[in-house]
Amino acid sequence: MIESLHYLPQAGSTHDALSERFTDLAPPLTARQAAIESARCLYCYDAPCTRACPTGIDVASFIRNIHDHNVDGAATTILQANIFGGSCARVCPTEILCEDACVRNHDAEGQPVKIGLLQRHAIDNAQFDGHPFKRAPSTGKTIAVVGAGPAGLSCAHRLAMLGHDVVVFEAREKSGGLNEYGIAKYKLPGDFAQREVEFLLSIGGIEIRHGYALGHNLQLAELHARYDAVFLGLGLAASRELGLLGENAPGLMAAVDYIATLRQSDDLSALPVPRRAIVIGAGNTAIDMAVQLKRLGAEEVTLVYRRGFEAMSATGHEIDIAKAHFVRMRTWAAPLEVLLDDAGRVRGMRFEETRMQDGRLVATGGIIEIAADAVFKAIGQGMGLAALVDPLAREIERTDKIVVDACLRTALPGVYAGGDCVAPGQDLTVQAVQHGKLAALAIHHDIQSKAEAAWPT
């Protein structure tokens, strides 16, 4: 845990000074800037930007609303497709999705419409009189949702819209999942994640019970028997291991644990910050970890990956952010040994140089040593089997994820799953939101079909 680091923050750093480094990565558009940017949209009839959006937001329509000074209408269009439109506007990799598909990339300007910033402008400036969506007449059915992250809450909100009652079980003290505990603080600053959850819940019909973890004080078999359907939005809680001696030594920890502590901290100046740090990984979490360490005052941060830049799962935009913060990047180096000092604390890492040979990653025999006061692993996460009954557990044993069909149904009738814990799709917030929405529609359809089949003819 973070307590094992035992390092003091940089001298002279105050909470207020550090907080200024964790505001929104990009400034918001002014009303005039939004008007000018929205005028650049060509309102394509086939809207490739909408096709590129995992939640299917009608991009051209909401931008047209902004152009027509109808911000509430723009926000409603966004939220109809993606109830987490506010956070997705900030954390979604628009540069490889909607903005990459924008036709303005190919004209004389060669610059896409700033869809992400326009979406953020619409959500942040909407003035709704109450919740923008109304619940359908009650169906009398109650659905259990496990996990109050983007997938679970998206599913709960859509089910509530369709007239169902929903009980959400969440292990942590706060709702929001990755948005609350796992996203870089400069992407979702302040209490944005909690305000978004409160807005979502204002539709009514959703109860959240905190302190319930599947496989501990909550059993899937019991939920399956008690509720009309169950949706699993479990996320991935277990950090993968390096498999090296000294992995549990003071000074080596999972990046997600440090990020969670950072996001919940009321005093950033009290956080332990190493002078020199190594981050092992190649995804957006590794980038988030490295950049936040630099913003906290770490002098030297080195990100190490066993393959080349072209194989990194972090987007080019994220890599550019790391470079702008002077994060050192060392590719083609695989973790070999944790180096410890006489007190048994981390003093660095030894890596073995690698290369591709006949399509396989092989060691070259070259050795690299990097000194560090702390090492953070960001090599992915998995999920345990204790939470699930046998049919689903067997699927996870084969895939490390829950296998679902196109409608997010699992191998167990009446149980659905979505988000990072399922096999298809990318580990993106926007993808989790879409999974929750599609699962809710499937649950509603299956419940209605079952009811119709039971009616006398």
Side-chain angles (χ1 to χ4, degrees):
M1 297 299 291
I2 192 168
E3 292 80 6
S4 69
L5 295 180
H6 296 307
Y7 303 120
L8 295 177
Q10 294 294 301
S13 295
T14 66
H15 172 68
D16 290 343
L18 290 172
S19 294
E20 291 179 0
R21 304 176 191 173
F22 289 92
T23 55
D24 278 308
L25 191 60
L29 298 176
T30 65
R32 177 166 175 75
Q33 288 172 329
I36 294 171
E37 190 62 26
S38 64
R40 295 185 60 235
C41 182
L42 301 179
Y43 313 118
C44 305
Y45 75 93
D46 58 347
C49 49
T50 291
R51 295 202 306 271
C53 175
T55 56
I57 293 174
D58 189 341
V59 177
S61 178
F62 93 71
I63 293 180
R64 169 75 76 175
N65 277 321
I66 292 176
H67 183 264
D68 294 343
H69 308 291
N70 182 8
V71 174
D72 286 1
T76 300
T77 297
I78 295 164
L79 296 169
Q80 177 68 40
N82 181 346
I83 196 60
F84 280 93
S87 56
C88 286
R90 288 168 164 82
V91 307
C92 190
T94 54
E95 68 278 359
I96 63 171
L97 295 172
C98 55
E99 292 179 11
D100 183 59
C102 180
V103 298
R104 301 228 58 167
N105 284 301
H106 311 294
D107 63 14
E109 291 186 14
Q111 293 291 329
V113 175
K114 296 175 181 176
I115 299 171
L117 283 174
L118 286 171
Q119 179 170 318
R120 176 178 157 191
H121 175 80
I123 298 297
D124 288 357
N125 292 283
Q127 300 290 328
F128 293 123
D129 183 15
H131 197 76
F133 308 113
K134 304 300 180 185
R135 297 191 67 195
S138 175
T139 63
K141 304 296 184 181
T142 305
I143 318 301
V145 170
V146 182
L153 290 178
S154 171
C155 182
H157 184 269
R158 187 62 55 157
L159 287 168
M161 284 180 63
L162 294 168
H164 304 289
D165 291 323
V166 186
V167 179
V168 182
F169 297 92
E170 167 58 39
R172 296 199 178 195
E173 295 179 355
K174 293 183 180 179
S175 302
L178 189 68
N179 285 359
E180 177 60 40
Y181 292 98
I183 295 291
K185 195 173 180 66
Y186 57 82
K187 294 179 179 177
L188 285 180
D191 64 346
F192 185 90
Q194 286 308 299
R195 287 188 285 113
E196 191 169 45
V197 170
E198 291 170 6
F199 167 76
L200 179 151
L201 294 178
S202 66
I203 192 173
I206 304 172
E207 175 192 354
I208 300 185
R209 301 177 185 175
H210 294 277
Y212 287 89
L214 203 61
H216 297 281
N217 57 352
L218 192 67
Q219 302 301 321
L220 180 56
E222 182 180 349
L223 295 177
H224 190 238
R226 181 184 298 181
Y227 293 92
D228 294 290
V230 180
F231 175 78
L232 302 175
L234 302 177
L236 302 175
S239 294
R240 293 198 174 99
E241 299 291 320
L242 294 169
L244 302 176
L245 290 175
E247 188 160 358
N248 296 318
L252 196 156
M253 67 181 297
V256 291
D257 292 340
Y258 190 94
I259 292 172
T261 302
L262 168 61
R263 285 197 56 86
Q264 299 305 306
S265 175
D266 294 325
D267 184 1
L268 296 179
S269 66
L271 283 173
V273 181
R275 185 172 67 85
R276 302 168 301 176
I278 294 170
V279 179
I280 301 173
N284 289 342
T285 298
I287 299 291
D288 285 354
M289 183 71 231
V291 170
Q292 287 181 115
L293 284 172
K294 290 292 289 186
R295 289 192 172 210
L296 285 169
E299 295 177 9
E300 181 180 304
V301 179
T302 306
L303 189 148
V304 184
Y305 180 44
R306 59 182 179 153
R307 300 179 187 272
F309 279 107
E310 71 285 348
M312 295 180 73
S313 59
T315 66
H317 174 67
E318 296 289 332
I319 294 172
D320 288 342
I321 292 173
K323 290 178 178 177
H325 284 80
F326 302 102
V327 173
R328 298 180 178 181
M329 295 190 181
R330 185 66 167 85
T331 55
W332 302 110
L336 184 63
E337 183 181 356
V338 181
L339 302 178
L340 305 177
D341 62 17
D342 293 339
R345 294 187 52 82
V346 168
R347 65 173 180 84
M349 285 281 294
R350 182 172 290 134
F351 298 87
E352 188 169 21
E353 293 181 330
T354 60
R355 63 183 174 88
M356 295 301 295
Q357 179 177 306
D358 299 326
R360 296 187 305 110
L361 187 71
V362 298
T364 66
I367 300 298
I368 305 165
E369 286 192 7
I370 302 176
D373 307 302
V375 176
F376 301 90
K377 53 183 180 181
I379 55 175
Q381 295 169 273
M383 57 183 298
L385 305 180
L388 305 175
V389 295
D390 287 347
L392 296 182
R394 283 196 294 270
E395 294 288 356
I396 296 177
E397 286 171 350
R398 291 196 292 267
T399 66
D400 196 35
K401 295 285 186 78
I402 301 173
V403 176
V404 294
D405 66 13
C407 295
L408 289 306
R409 299 182 183 95
T410 72
L412 187 63
V415 177
Y416 307 73
D420 294 348
C421 68
V422 303
Q426 299 172 286
D427 292 344
L428 298 174
T429 299
V430 66
Q431 184 71 76
V433 173
Q434 180 69 354
H435 282 177
K437 183 176 71 178
L438 293 178
L441 296 175
I443 291 169
H444 180 70
H445 172 272
D446 293 349
I447 287 176
Q448 295 296 95
S449 297
K450 190 180 298 183
E452 290 172 5
W455 291 345
T457 56

